[in-house]
Every structure is written in structure tokens, then in C-alpha cells.
Amino acid sequence: MKKLFCLLCIFLLQLNAEVINKYPTQELIDSGITIIDIRTEGEWKETGLIKGAVPITFWYSDGSYNIPLFMQELQKHVKKDETFALICHVGTRTKEVSHFLSQEFNMRVINLVGGMDHLKKLGYKTVKYSPSK
């Protein structure tokens, strides 16, 4: 009976966890959804950011990452049950991170397929990245 109850609980938790794969569009950007840019600071400086996007690096230039620090920063901008979007350069990193956040933290994430590269091809004009102190 305990096993059945545990399985039911896991199933119910996974109902809330969700990853939606979507191409970034001006309409999505204008919707007011929180967009987290998980690229590196060098990438933000090079290409700029989506206006209103929150820059929080997941993987650093050397390939390392710090999940507790990422989650601490993410929770400053995203509420527990809020759907939010992740963007990177082409969508490879966000695919991994969005599934991780969905499975491990039961978050509802939109993976922005094609990333900043897709937006650039659409002619989207980014805003300059300026680090906050």
C-alpha cells in the first residue's frame, strides 16, 4: 500500500512539471513572461539580451556549473508555480536545463528552441548587457 501511495504522489508531482518547446517570438517576449538567459557573461556582452530578460549563467566558460547558486538566483525572479522561459545561444543548453528543472524541481519551463540565434535571424534587436553591481 505504501508503494502505491508513493507512486501516486510521484505521478501527481509530475503532472505539474512541464517543459514546453517553443521558438522565441516577439509575441512571446511581449507577453511579459519571465525569460531567463542562461548564457555566459561573454555571450551577453557579445550579442546583448532580450529586453527584460534576466541573465543567470548556468554553465560557465570552463564548463563548470553551480546548481545551488543558479537556483538561488532563479528563485529571486521566478515563483514556484510560475511558468517561465529559458534561452541560450541555439537551445542546446536550455533543452538540458529545462528538463532538469522540470524533473528535479517540478518547475514549468518553456525551452526557447533555436535560442538567440533564431531571434537574430528574425531581425530581433537586443539590448546592451550591463552588469548590475
Side-chain angles (χ1 to χ4, degrees):
M1 189 64 159
K2 284 184 181 180
K3 284 183 182 180
L4 181 60
F5 179 73
C6 287
L7 288 174
L8 180 61
C9 287
I10 291 170
F11 174 74
L12 290 174
L13 282 174
Q14 289 181 343
L15 287 177
N16 289 332
E18 182 179 0
V19 174
I20 298 168
N21 294 299
K22 228 178 197 182
Y23 282 95
T25 62
Q26 187 66 52
E27 181 181 5
L28 181 79
I29 293 166
D30 293 342
S31 74
I33 190 166
T34 302
I35 299 174
I36 306 296
D37 189 324
I38 66 167
R39 298 176 300 150
T40 63
E41 183 175 19
E43 290 174 296
W44 302 327
K45 288 178 180 177
E46 183 181 325
T47 62
L49 297 165
I50 292 172
K51 185 177 182 180
V54 179
I56 307 174
T57 295
F58 189 87
W59 275 288
Y60 300 98
S61 302
D62 65 0
S64 67
Y65 54 88
N66 183 332
I67 293 172
L69 180 60
F70 177 81
M71 293 305 297
Q72 179 183 349
E73 290 301 312
L74 181 64
Q75 290 169 352
K76 290 178 184 177
H77 303 280
V78 177
K79 295 180 182 117
K80 171 85 173 115
D81 295 325
E82 177 183 0
T83 300
F84 63 98
L86 292 179
I87 196 160
C88 65
H89 180 70
V90 295
T92 305
R93 289 173 278 184
T94 56
K95 180 178 180 182
E96 289 186 42
V97 175
S98 61
H99 285 285
F100 170 73
L101 293 173
S102 173
Q103 294 303 308
E104 297 298 321
F105 295 98
N106 199 35
M107 298 180 119
R108 294 188 308 239
V109 185
I110 297 174
N111 170 36
L112 295 177
V113 179
M116 294 297 288
D117 192 52
H118 177 76
L119 280 175
K120 183 180 172 185
K121 288 175 184 172
L122 294 177
Y124 182 81
K125 302 291 183 213
T126 59
V127 296
K128 184 178 179 179
Y129 166 71
S130 13
S132 37
K133 298 287 180 190

